[in-house]
Amino acid sequence: MERRPHVGILALQGDVREHAHVLRELGAEVSLVRRPAELAAVDGLVIPGGESSVIDKLSRSFGMQHPIRDAIAAGMPVYGTCAGMIMLADRLTNPIAGQETFGGLDVVVTRNAFGSQVDSFETDLEVAGFEGHAVRATFIRAPLVAAVGPRATAIATLPDGGVVAVEQGPLLATAFHPEVSGETRFHERFLGLVRAAAR
Ligand code: GLN
């Protein structure tokens, strides 16, 4: 019998509980990850939404930046939402001074891409590979993928062509927050990546 996928959620800052709830509903074993030993115990990692510059600083002060970079390089599945997408990006167009990312995802990302007038909004998106109804996507001070490199694939775009979801092997990233709108298909897709990698 196949073992339940064991997923970690990087729990330094951000909407950790919402991801834990969705993943447990989908049958995963969920642990909160703040230390290298906790990362070593999981089959995949979720990086939640929040504030990327804070997640960056805390991951460095908790000694997590290098272990997470090493895990990504070794092929660990990682799903980043919003600030988590920013943390996965190889490059940012507008980092704050000294801001670093884990990287791994061959994209350039712009933080807070939708300006202060439209801080938050919801829209329906078609996502490559999803059956049935459109995704109701919640954007909260959201980033936008400014450029998709050759190793990454855009899987969802806004009507104006802006890329808001990307996949690259075991890495998945969304500029929006499916975990707050009852949308479970991204987490299911991620658990599929985790199962495939654990095999
Ligand atoms: N604007 C935030 C950042 O730069 C991301 C917002 C979010 O995760 N909802 O990290």
Side-chain angles (χ1 to χ4, degrees), residues 15 48-55 81-84 86 99 111-112 139-143 175 177:
D15 73 329
E51 173 49 49
S52 57
S53 59
V54 174
I55 295 174
T81 60
C82 203
I86 296 170
Q99 181 172 5
R111 302 173 56 238
N112 304 329
F139 292 79
I140 306 166
R141 291 183 60 74
H177 291 271

PDB file of all heavy atoms in Angstrom, residues 15 48-55 81-84 86 99 111-112 139-143 175 177, ligand 1:
ATOM      1  N   ASP A  15       0.250  32.491   5.433  1.00  0.00           N
ATOM      2  CA  ASP A  15      -1.021  31.786   5.647  1.00  0.00           C
ATOM      3  C   ASP A  15      -0.818  30.267   5.680  1.00  0.00           C
ATOM      4  O   ASP A  15      -1.278  29.513   4.845  1.00  0.00           O
ATOM      5  CB  ASP A  15      -2.097  32.240   4.655  1.00  0.00           C
ATOM      6  CG  ASP A  15      -1.894  31.744   3.233  1.00  0.00           C
ATOM      7  OD1 ASP A  15      -0.727  31.575   2.832  1.00  0.00           O
ATOM      8  OD2 ASP A  15      -2.905  31.509   2.536  1.00  0.00           O
ATOM      9  N   PRO A  48       4.024  29.350   1.779  1.00  0.00           N
ATOM     10  CA  PRO A  48       2.725  30.038   1.770  1.00  0.00           C
ATOM     11  C   PRO A  48       2.830  31.472   1.277  1.00  0.00           C
ATOM     12  O   PRO A  48       3.921  31.996   1.052  1.00  0.00           O
ATOM     13  CB  PRO A  48       2.318  30.004   3.242  1.00  0.00           C
ATOM     14  CG  PRO A  48       3.603  30.023   3.990  1.00  0.00           C
ATOM     15  CD  PRO A  48       4.583  29.234   3.138  1.00  0.00           C
ATOM     16  N   GLY A  49       1.676  32.105   1.149  1.00  0.00           N
ATOM     17  CA  GLY A  49       1.623  33.531   0.906  1.00  0.00           C
ATOM     18  C   GLY A  49       1.914  34.273   2.196  1.00  0.00           C
ATOM     19  O   GLY A  49       1.785  33.727   3.294  1.00  0.00           O
ATOM     20  N   GLY A  50       2.286  35.512   2.056  1.00  0.00           N
ATOM     21  CA  GLY A  50       2.628  36.328   3.220  1.00  0.00           C
ATOM     22  C   GLY A  50       3.397  37.515   2.713  1.00  0.00           C
ATOM     23  O   GLY A  50       2.945  38.206   1.799  1.00  0.00           O
ATOM     24  N   GLU A  51       4.582  37.715   3.243  1.00  0.00           N
ATOM     25  CA  GLU A  51       5.437  38.823   2.788  1.00  0.00           C
ATOM     26  C   GLU A  51       6.817  38.222   2.486  1.00  0.00           C
ATOM     27  O   GLU A  51       7.503  37.757   3.388  1.00  0.00           O
ATOM     28  CB  GLU A  51       5.490  39.893   3.872  1.00  0.00           C
ATOM     29  CG  GLU A  51       6.471  41.008   3.617  1.00  0.00           C
ATOM     30  CD  GLU A  51       6.386  41.623   2.222  1.00  0.00           C
ATOM     31  OE1 GLU A  51       5.271  41.964   1.766  1.00  0.00           O
ATOM     32  OE2 GLU A  51       7.449  41.755   1.567  1.00  0.00           O
ATOM     33  N   SER A  52       7.163  38.249   1.198  1.00  0.00           N
ATOM     34  CA  SER A  52       8.375  37.528   0.778  1.00  0.00           C
ATOM     35  C   SER A  52       9.642  38.054   1.435  1.00  0.00           C
ATOM     36  O   SER A  52      10.544  37.273   1.765  1.00  0.00           O
ATOM     37  CB  SER A  52       8.503  37.583  -0.743  1.00  0.00           C
ATOM     38  OG  SER A  52       8.523  38.929  -1.192  1.00  0.00           O
ATOM     39  N   SER A  53       9.714  39.370   1.679  1.00  0.00           N
ATOM     40  CA  SER A  53      10.949  39.897   2.281  1.00  0.00           C
ATOM     41  C   SER A  53      11.088  39.407   3.725  1.00  0.00           C
ATOM     42  O   SER A  53      12.204  39.186   4.206  1.00  0.00           O
ATOM     43  CB  SER A  53      10.968  41.423   2.208  1.00  0.00           C
ATOM     44  OG  SER A  53       9.856  41.959   2.884  1.00  0.00           O
ATOM     45  N   VAL A  54       9.965  39.180   4.394  1.00  0.00           N
ATOM     46  CA  VAL A  54      10.006  38.667   5.771  1.00  0.00           C
ATOM     47  C   VAL A  54      10.349  37.175   5.753  1.00  0.00           C
ATOM     48  O   VAL A  54      11.191  36.708   6.537  1.00  0.00           O
ATOM     49  CB  VAL A  54       8.652  38.916   6.481  1.00  0.00           C
ATOM     50  CG1 VAL A  54       8.637  38.262   7.855  1.00  0.00           C
ATOM     51  CG2 VAL A  54       8.380  40.407   6.593  1.00  0.00           C
ATOM     52  N   ILE A  55       9.734  36.435   4.848  1.00  0.00           N
ATOM     53  CA  ILE A  55      10.051  34.995   4.734  1.00  0.00           C
ATOM     54  C   ILE A  55      11.534  34.834   4.403  1.00  0.00           C
ATOM     55  O   ILE A  55      12.220  33.966   4.953  1.00  0.00           O
ATOM     56  CB  ILE A  55       9.146  34.324   3.681  1.00  0.00           C
ATOM     57  CG1 ILE A  55       7.678  34.363   4.145  1.00  0.00           C
ATOM     58  CG2 ILE A  55       9.589  32.872   3.436  1.00  0.00           C
ATOM     59  CD1 ILE A  55       6.676  33.841   3.111  1.00  0.00           C
ATOM     60  N   THR A  81       2.734  29.753  -3.187  1.00  0.00           N
ATOM     61  CA  THR A  81       1.634  30.657  -3.543  1.00  0.00           C
ATOM     62  C   THR A  81       2.036  32.078  -3.187  1.00  0.00           C
ATOM     63  O   THR A  81       2.506  32.349  -2.084  1.00  0.00           O
ATOM     64  CB  THR A  81       0.322  30.321  -2.798  1.00  0.00           C
ATOM     65  OG1 THR A  81       0.515  30.414  -1.396  1.00  0.00           O
ATOM     66  CG2 THR A  81      -0.164  28.934  -3.130  1.00  0.00           C
ATOM     67  N   CYS A  82       1.832  32.991  -4.138  1.00  0.00           N
ATOM     68  CA  CYS A  82       2.008  34.421  -3.907  1.00  0.00           C
ATOM     69  C   CYS A  82       3.418  34.729  -3.394  1.00  0.00           C
ATOM     70  O   CYS A  82       4.364  34.605  -4.167  1.00  0.00           O
ATOM     71  CB  CYS A  82       0.894  34.922  -2.984  1.00  0.00           C
ATOM     72  SG  CYS A  82       0.622  36.681  -3.158  1.00  0.00           S
ATOM     73  N   ALA A  83       3.599  35.077  -2.119  1.00  0.00           N
ATOM     74  CA  ALA A  83       4.962  35.282  -1.619  1.00  0.00           C
ATOM     75  C   ALA A  83       5.815  34.032  -1.842  1.00  0.00           C
ATOM     76  O   ALA A  83       7.025  34.121  -2.077  1.00  0.00           O
ATOM     77  CB  ALA A  83       4.937  35.641  -0.134  1.00  0.00           C
ATOM     78  N   GLY A  84       5.171  32.853  -1.791  1.00  0.00           N
ATOM     79  CA  GLY A  84       5.887  31.598  -2.050  1.00  0.00           C
ATOM     80  C   GLY A  84       6.378  31.512  -3.489  1.00  0.00           C
ATOM     81  O   GLY A  84       7.453  30.966  -3.770  1.00  0.00           O
ATOM     82  N   ILE A  86       7.181  34.154  -5.212  1.00  0.00           N
ATOM     83  CA  ILE A  86       8.314  35.089  -5.229  1.00  0.00           C
ATOM     84  C   ILE A  86       9.574  34.388  -4.716  1.00  0.00           C
ATOM     85  O   ILE A  86      10.656  34.521  -5.292  1.00  0.00           O
ATOM     86  CB  ILE A  86       7.976  36.339  -4.369  1.00  0.00           C
ATOM     87  CG1 ILE A  86       6.805  37.102  -4.990  1.00  0.00           C
ATOM     88  CG2 ILE A  86       9.202  37.227  -4.187  1.00  0.00           C
ATOM     89  CD1 ILE A  86       6.221  38.204  -4.105  1.00  0.00           C
ATOM     90  N   GLN A  99      17.049  41.829  -0.711  1.00  0.00           N
ATOM     91  CA  GLN A  99      16.125  40.688  -0.723  1.00  0.00           C
ATOM     92  C   GLN A  99      16.643  39.565  -1.606  1.00  0.00           C
ATOM     93  O   GLN A  99      17.040  39.784  -2.741  1.00  0.00           O
ATOM     94  CB  GLN A  99      14.737  41.132  -1.220  1.00  0.00           C
ATOM     95  CG  GLN A  99      13.719  39.983  -1.227  1.00  0.00           C
ATOM     96  CD  GLN A  99      12.295  40.446  -1.536  1.00  0.00           C
ATOM     97  OE1 GLN A  99      12.061  41.617  -1.840  1.00  0.00           O
ATOM     98  NE2 GLN A  99      11.363  39.519  -1.467  1.00  0.00           N
ATOM     99  N   ARG A 111       7.085  41.803  -7.879  1.00  0.00           N
ATOM    100  CA  ARG A 111       6.284  41.846  -6.643  1.00  0.00           C
ATOM    101  C   ARG A 111       5.234  42.955  -6.749  1.00  0.00           C
ATOM    102  O   ARG A 111       5.450  43.954  -7.424  1.00  0.00           O
ATOM    103  CB  ARG A 111       7.171  42.127  -5.431  1.00  0.00           C
ATOM    104  CG  ARG A 111       8.285  41.124  -5.235  1.00  0.00           C
ATOM    105  CD  ARG A 111       9.237  41.556  -4.124  1.00  0.00           C
ATOM    106  NE  ARG A 111       8.503  41.786  -2.886  1.00  0.00           N
ATOM    107  CZ  ARG A 111       8.499  42.924  -2.224  1.00  0.00           C
ATOM    108  NH1 ARG A 111       9.190  43.955  -2.645  1.00  0.00           N
ATOM    109  NH2 ARG A 111       7.791  43.038  -1.114  1.00  0.00           N
ATOM    110  N   ASN A 112       4.124  42.783  -6.049  1.00  0.00           N
ATOM    111  CA  ASN A 112       3.088  43.823  -5.933  1.00  0.00           C
ATOM    112  C   ASN A 112       2.767  44.417  -7.297  1.00  0.00           C
ATOM    113  O   ASN A 112       2.757  45.636  -7.488  1.00  0.00           O
ATOM    114  CB  ASN A 112       3.555  44.933  -4.980  1.00  0.00           C
ATOM    115  CG  ASN A 112       3.921  44.394  -3.617  1.00  0.00           C
ATOM    116  OD1 ASN A 112       3.345  43.411  -3.159  1.00  0.00           O
ATOM    117  ND2 ASN A 112       4.887  44.999  -2.962  1.00  0.00           N
ATOM    118  N   PHE A 139      -6.377  37.156  -5.688  1.00  0.00           N
ATOM    119  CA  PHE A 139      -5.073  37.830  -5.749  1.00  0.00           C
ATOM    120  C   PHE A 139      -5.011  38.850  -4.623  1.00  0.00           C
ATOM    121  O   PHE A 139      -5.901  39.701  -4.504  1.00  0.00           O
ATOM    122  CB  PHE A 139      -4.908  38.560  -7.087  1.00  0.00           C
ATOM    123  CG  PHE A 139      -4.787  37.639  -8.282  1.00  0.00           C
ATOM    124  CD1 PHE A 139      -5.911  37.044  -8.839  1.00  0.00           C
ATOM    125  CD2 PHE A 139      -3.545  37.370  -8.847  1.00  0.00           C
ATOM    126  CE1 PHE A 139      -5.800  36.199  -9.943  1.00  0.00           C
ATOM    127  CE2 PHE A 139      -3.427  36.536  -9.953  1.00  0.00           C
ATOM    128  CZ  PHE A 139      -4.556  35.946 -10.496  1.00  0.00           C
ATOM    129  N   ILE A 140      -3.969  38.787  -3.785  1.00  0.00           N
ATOM    130  CA  ILE A 140      -3.806  39.704  -2.660  1.00  0.00           C
ATOM    131  C   ILE A 140      -2.403  40.308  -2.728  1.00  0.00           C
ATOM    132  O   ILE A 140      -1.418  39.615  -2.475  1.00  0.00           O
ATOM    133  CB  ILE A 140      -4.015  38.979  -1.305  1.00  0.00           C
ATOM    134  CG1 ILE A 140      -5.370  38.255  -1.279  1.00  0.00           C
ATOM    135  CG2 ILE A 140      -3.889  39.969  -0.147  1.00  0.00           C
ATOM    136  CD1 ILE A 140      -5.529  37.246  -0.155  1.00  0.00           C
ATOM    137  N   ARG A 141      -2.327  41.592  -3.079  1.00  0.00           N
ATOM    138  CA  ARG A 141      -1.025  42.235  -3.300  1.00  0.00           C
ATOM    139  C   ARG A 141      -0.099  41.279  -4.057  1.00  0.00           C
ATOM    140  O   ARG A 141       1.033  40.984  -3.645  1.00  0.00           O
ATOM    141  CB  ARG A 141      -0.384  42.684  -1.980  1.00  0.00           C
ATOM    142  CG  ARG A 141      -1.145  43.849  -1.339  1.00  0.00           C
ATOM    143  CD  ARG A 141      -0.492  44.364  -0.071  1.00  0.00           C
ATOM    144  NE  ARG A 141       0.874  44.848  -0.292  1.00  0.00           N
ATOM    145  CZ  ARG A 141       1.192  45.990  -0.906  1.00  0.00           C
ATOM    146  NH1 ARG A 141       0.250  46.776  -1.382  1.00  0.00           N
ATOM    147  NH2 ARG A 141       2.438  46.357  -1.025  1.00  0.00           N
ATOM    148  N   ALA A 142      -0.595  40.828  -5.163  1.00  0.00           N
ATOM    149  CA  ALA A 142      -0.025  39.651  -5.836  1.00  0.00           C
ATOM    150  C   ALA A 142       1.132  40.004  -6.761  1.00  0.00           C
ATOM    151  O   ALA A 142       1.192  41.106  -7.310  1.00  0.00           O
ATOM    152  CB  ALA A 142      -1.118  38.959  -6.640  1.00  0.00           C
ATOM    153  N   PRO A 143       2.011  39.031  -6.936  1.00  0.00           N
ATOM    154  CA  PRO A 143       3.077  39.183  -7.935  1.00  0.00           C
ATOM    155  C   PRO A 143       2.581  38.768  -9.317  1.00  0.00           C
ATOM    156  O   PRO A 143       1.479  38.222  -9.464  1.00  0.00           O
ATOM    157  CB  PRO A 143       4.142  38.204  -7.445  1.00  0.00           C
ATOM    158  CG  PRO A 143       3.362  37.113  -6.767  1.00  0.00           C
ATOM    159  CD  PRO A 143       2.135  37.773  -6.187  1.00  0.00           C
ATOM    160  N   ALA A 175       0.475  32.888  -8.482  1.00  0.00           N
ATOM    161  CA  ALA A 175       0.515  34.254  -7.957  1.00  0.00           C
ATOM    162  C   ALA A 175      -0.661  34.514  -7.026  1.00  0.00           C
ATOM    163  O   ALA A 175      -0.657  35.481  -6.274  1.00  0.00           O
ATOM    164  CB  ALA A 175       0.480  35.250  -9.115  1.00  0.00           C
ATOM    165  N   HIS A 177      -4.092  32.742  -4.493  1.00  0.00           N
ATOM    166  CA  HIS A 177      -4.235  31.922  -3.282  1.00  0.00           C
ATOM    167  C   HIS A 177      -5.380  30.918  -3.404  1.00  0.00           C
ATOM    168  O   HIS A 177      -6.467  31.183  -2.885  1.00  0.00           O
ATOM    169  CB  HIS A 177      -4.559  32.821  -2.081  1.00  0.00           C
ATOM    170  CG  HIS A 177      -3.448  33.704  -1.645  1.00  0.00           C
ATOM    171  ND1 HIS A 177      -2.506  33.312  -0.732  1.00  0.00           N
ATOM    172  CD2 HIS A 177      -3.119  34.971  -1.995  1.00  0.00           C
ATOM    173  CE1 HIS A 177      -1.647  34.294  -0.530  1.00  0.00           C
ATOM    174  NE2 HIS A 177      -2.003  35.310  -1.294  1.00  0.00           N
TER     175      HIS A 177
HETATM  176  N1  GLN B   1       3.217  41.366  -1.668  1.00  0.00           N
HETATM  177  C1  GLN B   1       3.723  40.206  -0.967  1.00  0.00           C
HETATM  178  C2  GLN B   1       5.220  40.013  -1.126  1.00  0.00           C
HETATM  179  O1  GLN B   1       5.901  40.752  -1.741  1.00  0.00           O
HETATM  180  C3  GLN B   1       3.000  38.960  -1.410  1.00  0.00           C
HETATM  181  C4  GLN B   1       1.560  38.999  -0.998  1.00  0.00           C
HETATM  182  C5  GLN B   1       0.948  37.662  -0.683  1.00  0.00           C
HETATM  183  O2  GLN B   1       1.642  36.655  -0.487  1.00  0.00           O
HETATM  184  N2  GLN B   1      -0.369  37.640  -0.599  1.00  0.00           N
HETATM  185  O3  GLN B   1       5.719  39.072  -0.602  1.00  0.00           O
END
